[in-house]
Amino acid sequence: MKIKPYIPNDTSLAYSVGVTLDRFIKKKQDDFPFASGELSQLLRDIALAAKIVNRETNRAGLANIGGAFGHTNVQGEEQQKLDVIANIRFTRALTKGGEVCAIVSEEDDEVIDLQNSSGKYVVAIDPLDGSSNIDVNISIGTIFSIYRRVTPVGSPIQLEDIMQPGNQQVAAGYVLYGSSTMLVYTTGCGVNGFTYEQSLGEFFLSHPDMKAPLSGNIYSINEGVSNTFSQGLSDYITYCKSKNYSARYIGSLVADFHRNLLKGGIYIYPETKKNPKGKLRLLYEANALAFIAEQAGADATDGIQRILDIQPTSLHQRTPLYIGSKSMVDEALSFISKKSSVQENH
Ligand code: AHM
Ligand code: MG
């Protein structure tokens, strides 16, 4: 009997589906011999909830789960049914896993204490961002940040476990429910993206070691409220137009961010008359994307300081956000700072 070694046959007829998210997480864990595996499990829990939310979003038009829920959340925004469903799904997954002691969610007024003092991690999450886009079949997303608690494991959670600046994140990511569903995450060693293969029920590595272009020609901002922009920001937008940059704004942060990360561009949500401190939330929107941006070689600031260095003072704190290709963020900042110093001189 002859024994024949297996030689992979890389034909285009049977394309290779590659590395699953599970296998990738396990491989990364093995790189750290003292890792306990809890963070890996936590990432898997999030991926599982993402698959369920993906299923719910895909059938939203059929299952009477589109539309408003009839309540507003703590920020006074109308909750969609899918906001509530996604919040339940992620909370359940994070509770069952046992690695998490507390959750901060856009959909809950207070911190959720999971009464699991042996959990090492705190998760801040926007379960379904851009949810006003659900009913019109436009991409939406989930955004999450993971922190290690600072108080000893085994003791009750404290505010200091929750109110950590973004530079303390141990992992962060987003799920984009778009033309395909993707999960993109970082643990501080680069950024990797996984595409969901529906028929196999698995995320596969599709975007290894993602790097943002240093520059780009896309600017993403809600220009409908430009009459309340600062002079510096208005000048920057005029500059973008003079350079024939493309305006692209979906109104779903994850989708706008993801496109700009791949193609090169800047996303801006500034201070406006309606949202004097910006609209986006520091703990579960800006921080996660800022961590990913920096890990991919891009930048994120509030116009004055690095997003990741902002010390949070309240749970649902908002922040202006300038995020994207490094040189575009620098350019935007140079316009903004010029005008604010002129105004200060008056
Ligand atoms: P949400 O968390 O209530 O969904 O709001 C966040 C969304 C972002 O996804 C998006 O970029 C922004 O709000 C759009 O706001 P606007 O309609 O003011 O431009
Ligand atoms: Mg949101």
Side-chain angles (χ1 to χ4, degrees), residues 77 106-107 126 128-131 143 253 280-281 284-285:
E77 295 155 349
E106 176 172 330
E107 303 307 332
D126 182 351
L128 211 53
D129 184 67
S131 53
I143 310 173
L253 173 61
L280 301 170
R281 274 55 53 116
Y284 42 80
E285 291 175 327

Side-chain angles (χ1 to χ4, degrees), residues 281-335:
R281 274 55 53 116
L282 177 64
L283 282 185
Y284 42 80
E285 291 175 327
N287 270 342
L289 299 188
F291 189 20
I292 292 168
E294 288 198 6
Q295 284 293 315
D299 244 342
T301 127
D302 67 353
I304 296 169
Q305 63 172 328
R306 186 179 173 228
I307 289 288
L308 295 182
D309 289 340
I310 301 175
Q311 176 59 52
T313 50
S314 68
L315 217 51
H316 298 284
Q317 176 172 342
R318 295 175 190 266
T319 176
L321 180 64
Y322 299 77
I323 191 165
S325 293
K326 232 179 194 353
S327 70
M328 295 185 82
V329 172
D330 284 350
E331 230 161 27
L333 286 184
S334 73
F335 277 88

Side-chain angles (χ1 to χ4, degrees), residues 20-23 25 39-55 89-90 93-94 99 123 125 142 144 146 173-177 181-185 194-197 201-204:
T20 64
L21 175 64
D22 270 5
R23 189 171 283 268
I25 291 173
L39 180 60
S40 301
Q41 187 51 46
L42 172 45
L43 290 167
R44 283 192 209 101
D45 295 341
I46 290 177
L48 175 62
K51 288 180 195 178
I52 300 172
V53 171
N54 176 61
R55 187 194 62 193
R89 291 297 183 187
F90 279 101
L94 296 172
E99 304 84 23
V123 174
I125 189 162
T142 295
F144 60 91
I146 304 175
Y174 59 83
V175 185
L176 172 59
Y177 311 96
T181 296
M182 279 195 75
L183 188 151
V184 174
Y185 83 97
F194 300 79
T195 300
Y196 188 54
E197 163 59 271
E202 293 273 14
F203 283 101
F204 287 93

